[in-house]
Amino acid sequence: MKPEELEVKAAAELAKQQAMDVRLVCCSSTGCQSSGAADIVARIKADITERGLVGKVQVGGTGCMGLCSKGPLVRMTCKGHEDVLFSEMTPDLATRLVEEVVAPVANGEEIHDPVGPLGAHVVDLHAAFFALQERVVLSNNGHADPEKLADYLVHGGYQGLRKALTMSAEEICQEVLASGLRGRGGAGYPTGLKWDFARRMQSDVKYVICNGDEGDPGAFMDRSVLEGDPHAVLEGMMIAARAMNATNGVFYIRAEYPLAVDRIEKAIRQARQAGLVGRNILNSGWSFDFDVRLGAGAFVCGEETALIASVEGKRGTPRPRPPFPSVKGLWDKPSCVNNVETLANVPRILLKGAEWFAAKGTEKSKGTKVFALTGKIAHNGLVEVPMGITIREIVETIGGGTGTERKVKGVQTGGPSGGMIPESQFDTPISYEHLQQLGSMMGSGGLIVIDDHDSVVELARFYLDFCVDESCGKCAPCRIGGTQMLHLLDKIVAGDGTEEDIANIRMIAQAMQKGSLCALGQTAPNPVLSALKHFPSEFTERLKQPAAVEV
């Protein structure tokens, strides 16, 4: 494919969409699929065919639109009206939608209220849930079909790559560095700097690896991006490859994400057929291709050296660093491991420029962040917000609070490696630095809300138990320290703990943080330590009460 053919294909698809009187897209993410989205799409297509509306109404799938608690969701676009989002759809409601709303519009009737009798199922797209979000990574969700390359091209797809092919590797690294993009997998390391280290390495073979091994309880950000906008991740990886002069790309996705795997593989096939992947990409003389490897669900394989070992067919255990993967990675070749969300940001940065991205967020935490908002919250789902927004705005305004008479007690951010933050600290801005100051971390983006009925002690124990179970056991501080800390927490939860047990927990935690080989062991104490810091009375109340002394 020649570069100018991208615009031709995009213009043709756009003209096709604009010729339609109505366009209906149904969320086709795992959440809505499990609630019957495929049956809804099938019913809509059958009804449209039955009424002779083929050619007037376009029907398809789209990525996660965020309001998962109200799924399945169907978005309707029709000429002369604002888009309408219908929630909690069923096949029977879909038939009513076609009969009472879509068919009249497609047949040229004047419809002043496109909502019609389905008003009870309409979601206000101007409500706080949507109004406070700023979608960059999720910008195509709700608009583009993740299984159609042409839809991605309509929304500027592969134009970032086209620009990258006119730049030197160093220029790409500097552009991404200037944007302020930091790794969205949790560590927050500057992406452009990471690429530049790999670029400087001399090697006949280099690898860029996408870490799709999302394993935090309650987290589904990366899965949703892979399912909802797979071509964006492909394009981001290819730009990364150009930046570091990589020759091969590897997707590492956990096998529990079959829909994500299927859509990535389909996107690779489509891009290869279009000449966007493979040899002589966009007539540039540059060649690049992908492999997809499945992870078996080990949490520790989210750590880059353990991930690399797993790809090589070895047991997924981390190794000491240095050497870092940028020097000696997959098959001992220079490699760069990036998180899904990090890579999905890259095409937008190349297309719109570093200044555009850097204008969002805070001084040190640029851009936006995708969060999986779960737990005791009214509006469970996927949200993307600018860095610098407060925790309170996310939980109370976007999330709608608990949605019950219960009060919010706090949030757990960063998954089992993160920490608990009390409601009194909710006015803290979301940034890498601010969350660290509270004893938590950004992590990959899980944000779990707890209410005043939840026990912080038991929640801390749950996360520690998860980390102990997922420890690879290679280093003693994590293997032994985690087990001993869990034993002490079990005593406290049972009401048999003492002040000495709490002191020992702090001592063991310090040893784990300093001596563990990888981030799993180093951060496993975080939920416990943050709970002790912000909710000390809950631990005190669980301690064994001394026996009364008879006088």
Side-chain angles (χ1 to χ4, degrees):
M1 179 186 287
K2 297 179 181 179
E4 57 271 17
E5 291 182 45
L6 288 176
E7 284 91 344
V8 174
K9 285 182 175 291
E13 177 62 24
L14 181 60
K16 178 182 175 182
Q17 292 181 12
Q18 291 176 338
M20 297 288 178
D21 294 303
V22 182
R23 188 166 187 253
L24 298 171
V25 292
C26 182
C27 175
S28 59
S29 65
T30 292
C32 284
Q33 290 277 31
S34 66
S35 300
D39 293 335
I40 292 168
V41 172
R43 177 72 68 87
I44 292 174
K45 287 182 176 180
D47 290 340
I48 286 171
T49 300
E50 182 181 333
R51 287 163 178 77
L53 299 177
V54 176
K56 293 183 177 182
V57 181
Q58 186 179 44
V59 184
T62 191
C64 177
M65 289 182 269
L67 198 57
C68 302
S69 58
K70 296 292 184 179
L73 300 169
V74 173
R75 187 174 188 132
M76 181 179 74
T77 302
C78 57
K79 295 176 180 178
H81 295 282
E82 284 190 337
D83 285 8
V84 182
L85 183 64
F86 296 94
S87 65
E88 299 176 297
M89 293 295 286
T90 65
D92 289 343
L93 284 173
T95 292
R96 287 185 58 194
L97 175 63
V98 173
E99 290 178 347
E100 301 171 25
V101 181
V102 174
V105 172
N107 288 324
E109 295 182 25
E110 277 292 327
I111 303 293
H112 298 290
D113 178 12
V115 171
L118 296 177
H121 292 271
V122 171
V123 176
D124 182 4
L125 290 171
H126 300 288
F129 181 86
F130 298 101
L132 287 185
Q133 293 191 50
E134 185 169 355
R135 293 192 157 206
V136 175
V137 171
L138 302 179
S139 59
N140 287 341
N141 287 19
H143 304 284
D145 189 328
E147 298 195 0
K148 292 183 178 179
L149 171 60
D151 263 22
Y152 184 61
L153 296 180
V154 166
H155 296 278
Y158 291 102
Q159 291 297 333
L161 173 64
R162 180 180 177 182
K163 181 179 177 181
L165 291 173
T166 68
M167 303 166 66
S168 69
E170 184 176 5
E171 286 173 337
I172 299 171
C173 290
Q174 291 305 313
E175 183 78 3
V176 174
L177 188 59
S179 74
L181 177 65
R182 297 170 64 176
R184 297 301 196 244
Y189 194 80
T191 303
L193 196 58
K194 192 174 191 179
W195 291 359
D196 200 47
F197 284 142
R199 178 186 69 82
R200 295 170 186 270
M201 295 297 106
Q202 298 298 315
S203 178
D204 57 335
V205 175
K206 294 182 183 180
Y207 295 94
V208 57
I209 303 170
C210 173
N211 183 352
D213 191 56
E214 181 177 57
D216 293 3
F220 52 95
M221 302 76 59
D222 292 345
R223 186 199 75 201
S224 297
V225 174
L226 290 169
E227 292 175 355
D229 205 1
H231 282 284
V233 188
L234 255 68
E235 186 179 3
M237 285 184 72
M238 294 172 75
I239 294 170
R242 285 289 291 181
M244 56 179 283
N245 297 313
T247 52
N248 299 86
V250 177
F251 275 97
Y252 186 83
I253 309 172
R254 56 177 43 215
E256 291 97 326
Y257 287 178
L259 185 59
V261 173
D262 177 66
R263 289 195 174 148
I264 284 294
E265 290 179 337
K266 185 173 292 184
I268 292 171
R269 289 195 301 270
Q270 291 173 344
R272 188 180 290 124
Q273 290 169 2
L276 293 164
V277 168
R279 294 186 177 278
N280 193 26
I281 296 168
L282 290 177
N283 210 30
S284 65
W286 179 60
S287 300
F288 185 79
D289 217 324
F290 295 91
D291 285 322
V292 178
R293 301 295 179 90
L294 304 187
F299 181 68
V300 73
C301 286
E303 194 277 337
E304 58 184 13
T305 62
L307 183 156
I308 288 170
S310 179
V311 172
E312 292 175 340
K314 303 171 185 174
R315 186 182 178 203
T317 57
R319 62 165 173 77
R321 297 174 295 175
F324 291 93
S326 57
V327 177
K328 188 178 181 181
L330 183 60
W331 309 117
D332 292 336
K333 299 293 184 179
S335 306
C336 214
V337 182
N338 287 119
N339 161 266
V340 170
E341 185 183 341
T342 307
L343 292 166
N345 272 295
V346 171
R348 279 87 175 186
I349 292 172
L350 264 287
L351 188 58
K352 298 187 177 183
E355 291 183 1
W356 166 81
F357 190 83
K360 308 174 190 299
T362 67
E363 182 182 354
K364 295 182 179 180
S365 297
K366 303 293 186 182
T368 62
K369 182 70 188 78
V370 179
F371 287 96
L373 189 57
T374 59
K376 304 296 180 62
I377 192 76
H379 305 315
N380 283 287
L382 201 66
V383 301
E384 184 174 3
V385 293
M387 294 281 200
I389 192 173
T390 65
I391 301 172
R392 191 175 305 281
E393 287 177 293
I394 295 177
V395 173
E396 296 181 1
T397 307
I398 295 177
T402 63
T404 68
E405 71 280 1
R406 295 285 181 184
K407 294 181 180 180
V408 174
K409 177 187 284 188
V411 294
Q412 167 79 12
T413 70
S417 302
M420 297 184 205
I421 301 172
E423 185 275 336
S424 61
Q425 299 292 331
F426 274 15
D427 293 316
T428 301
I430 291 285
S431 74
Y432 293 98
E433 291 73 28
H434 285 99
L435 292 180
Q436 287 173 357
Q437 290 169 9
L438 292 176
S440 188
M441 61 188 293
M442 186 81 70
S444 56
L447 200 156
I448 301 175
V449 180
I450 58 176
D451 66 21
D452 55 9
H453 185 68
D454 294 314
S455 166
V456 166
V457 180
E458 292 181 13
L459 189 60
R461 188 210 168 278
F462 166 80
Y463 280 115
L464 182 61
D465 181 55
F466 177 87
C467 289
V468 168
D469 189 55
E470 292 292 339
S471 172
C472 73
K474 185 173 183 178
C475 69
C478 179
R479 182 182 70 250
I480 300 173
T483 301
Q484 292 303 313
M485 190 187 297
L486 182 61
H487 171 68
L488 294 174
L489 268 181
D490 283 338
K491 284 183 61 182
I492 293 172
V493 168
D496 293 327
T498 65
E499 290 287 353
E500 184 181 5
D501 291 331
I502 291 180
N504 285 333
I505 284 174
R506 295 183 188 278
M507 178 184 67
I508 294 170
Q510 187 177 34
M512 290 179 67
Q513 289 172 329
K514 291 184 176 180
S516 294
L517 181 59
C518 80
L520 192 155
Q522 293 164 7
T523 60
N526 283 353
V528 183
L529 293 178
S530 62
L532 282 168
K533 176 181 178 180
H534 297 298
F535 303 94
S537 61
E538 292 202 29
F539 284 85
T540 303
E541 290 169 4
R542 289 291 188 111
L543 298 183
K544 183 178 181 180
Q545 300 300 316
V549 179
E550 295 184 6
V551 178

